[in-house]
Amino acid sequence: MNLSRRTLLGASAAAAVAGALSACSAKPGGGGGGEAGGDTVKLGINYELSGGVATYGQASVVGIKMALDELNEAGGIDGKKVELKEYDNKSDAAEATTLANKLMAQDGVIACMGPATSGNFKATVPVANKNKIPVVSGSATADDVTVSGDKVEEYAFRICFNDSFQGTIMAKFAAENLSAKTAVIIKDNSNDYSKGLASAFTEEFPGEIVAEEAFVAGDTDFNTILTRIKGETFDVIYLPGYYSEAGLIIKQARDLGITAPVLGGDGFDSPKLLELGGAAALNDVYFTNHYSSIDEDPKVKEFIEAFKKKNNEEPNAFHALGYDLGKFVADAVSRASELTGEAVQKAMAETKGFVGVTGTFDMDENHNPVKSIVVIGLKDGVQDTSEKIG
């Protein structure tokens, strides 16, 4: 296997992973962290399978399981099948912390995947550092997920870009692609994700921010803030939030006659956005994302066909990120000097040239991937345009 170009995207590549560990099982286990034993390699799943952001967690887990099913069907890792220990953190940070402790201290996993959202993921990082077991998210985008102050969180990784990158790219897209000179920001004041994107957009946008409004997660009536901005003159609305509120905001804005383009982040990527907003409202809507289902890249098309065959539905970005996450963790296990949390952490940190559905990346010194971003445009609520940037 050429370690500088790891695809791990099909059964043949998965078989190569099995071969790459031919010497691993003969090596003694190391100190600290979990250690694989017996006939399986234990990996943890700590995701939001119910609660407020369940759609993200559910989709991620479907992708993870597809990736690792392929690996197991090809023989596993050095003849060991991957065994998943799966729990629902109920979209709650305290529950995510409890489950991280259980996975590491009781279940004996050598790596944990999830949670999906930044707040829930950050709650598990101290547990990972204490137990020397890596935790990896496919979608936790807050800037401080892997770095606290000026210190890298040793056992925390992600395979997605961060919030600053999303806000920066969308500010440039607004100015350069939509010729926007004025903007309104509507952000969720109750979560770091929304505030982080809004801050990055404000810093990078070369025009004028004429108004800034706020809401909190769970709100359903946005007519008061929309009526206020209707009196302003602006070219675009930047709405960095989750689908649950964004769909309602966009619908209510269109009902009030606000026709300006609405821009957002990867939190828009859910089938629920269309359900909540309605097709008629979801035009001139653009959002940054990790992947697009209309991408013509052969790797993407191959994944989409395989996913549809297995799951009988079109994959979204969280499916694709989950799939890449499963492959990324398997790749690190395949290169680890021994099957322990510490050895897997080292392999993750040394990743170069990983090729996934959501892009090719190296892992940087802050445990963030260096990769491109996609800006997707909607027409009647369906992906119509896709532009890869970076």
Side-chain angles (χ1 to χ4, degrees):
M1 179 171 64
N2 183 347
L3 294 182
S4 66
R5 301 290 292 176
R6 296 171 206 95
T7 62
L8 287 175
L9 291 178
S12 61
V17 172
L21 275 177
S22 59
C24 243
S25 61
K27 297 178 182 176
E35 180 178 339
D39 297 325
T40 63
V41 174
K42 293 181 182 178
L43 302 176
I45 286 181
N46 182 353
Y47 265 100
E48 299 88 335
L49 304 179
S50 63
V53 290
T55 185
Y56 300 148
Q58 291 166 359
S60 298
V61 171
V62 169
I64 290 168
K65 288 183 173 179
M66 178 176 168
L68 296 178
D69 282 349
E70 290 177 1
L71 182 67
N72 281 338
E73 288 166 7
I77 300 175
D78 191 28
K80 294 175 182 285
K81 295 296 180 71
V82 172
E83 177 185 351
L84 292 175
K85 297 290 185 179
E86 178 183 346
Y87 297 107
D88 173 17
N89 63 41
K90 302 174 185 175
S91 300
D92 180 76
E95 183 70 8
T97 302
T98 298
L99 294 177
N101 273 301
K102 179 175 174 58
L103 284 162
M104 297 175 194
Q106 297 179 33
D107 293 332
V109 302
I110 60 171
C112 284
M113 292 171 281
T117 58
S118 296
N120 294 339
F121 183 78
K122 286 190 288 185
T124 71
V125 172
V127 183
N129 289 335
K130 177 182 176 182
N131 287 276
K132 298 184 178 179
I133 304 293
V135 288
V136 196
S137 180
S139 51
T141 55
D143 289 352
D144 60 351
V145 158
T146 61
V147 178
S148 179
D150 59 355
K151 182 177 180 295
V152 176
E153 299 286 7
E154 188 176 4
Y155 282 84
F157 295 84
R158 61 174 151 207
I159 64 163
C160 57
F161 44 71
N162 62 10
D163 289 343
S164 292
F165 190 43
Q166 290 199 75
T168 295
I169 291 297
M170 191 51 88
K172 291 180 178 178
F173 181 84
E176 296 173 9
N177 294 62
L178 302 180
S179 302
K181 293 180 172 55
T182 54
V184 166
I185 293 176
I186 304 175
K187 66 182 180 182
D188 180 352
N189 250 351
S190 66
N191 81 65
D192 292 339
Y193 165 80
S194 185
K195 291 185 287 187
L197 266 71
S199 176
F201 182 93
T202 300
E203 185 174 337
E204 186 66 31
F205 185 61
E208 180 186 0
I209 306 298
V210 299
E212 186 168 317
E213 297 287 346
F215 62 94
V216 296
D219 286 352
T220 57
D221 185 349
F222 303 95
N223 280 288
T224 299
I225 62 175
L226 291 171
T227 300
R228 280 200 296 266
I229 70 166
K230 188 178 179 182
E232 302 286 348
T233 300
F234 55 90
D235 297 320
V236 296
I237 297 171
Y238 189 49
L239 172 58
Y242 294 144
Y243 64 88
S244 45
E245 289 78 31
L248 295 174
I249 291 171
I250 296 169
K251 183 179 189 308
Q252 291 171 29
R254 299 308 192 220
D255 288 346
L256 285 172
I258 298 172
T259 59
V262 178
L263 319 179
D266 61 328
F268 279 25
D269 192 36
S270 169
K272 296 287 185 181
L273 184 76
L274 179 56
E275 292 179 25
L276 292 167
L282 295 174
N283 289 291
D284 277 335
V285 173
Y286 303 87
F287 63 98
T288 45
N289 209 7
H290 312 266
Y291 147 98
S292 169
S293 60
I294 61 175
D295 194 324
E296 291 299 314
D297 186 310
K299 293 187 299 297
V300 175
K301 294 174 75 172
E302 179 185 344
F303 164 72
I304 291 172
E305 289 308 309
F307 187 93
K308 288 164 64 176
K309 183 177 180 181
K310 184 177 180 67
N311 299 288
N312 199 33
E313 64 173 322
E314 190 86 16
N316 62 32
F318 288 88
H319 292 125
L321 287 166
Y323 183 85
D324 279 356
L325 180 57
K327 294 295 188 181
F328 171 75
V329 173
D331 174 54
V333 172
S334 80
R335 293 182 288 109
S337 61
E338 55 192 9
L339 297 182
T340 65
E342 289 174 286
V344 173
Q345 184 275 349
K346 186 173 186 293
M348 288 179 177
E350 294 173 348
T351 297
K352 300 289 183 186
F354 178 87
V355 182
V357 173
T358 62
T360 298
F361 66 81
D362 296 346
M363 191 61 69
D364 73 12
E365 66 276 10
N366 293 323
H367 297 177
N368 297 317
V370 180
K371 65 193 299 188
S372 59
I373 194 170
V374 177
V375 176
I376 293 170
L378 299 181
K379 182 177 181 181
D380 295 329
V382 177
Q383 291 190 22
D384 181 59
T385 61
S386 171
E387 181 176 351
K388 196 170 287 187
I389 301 172

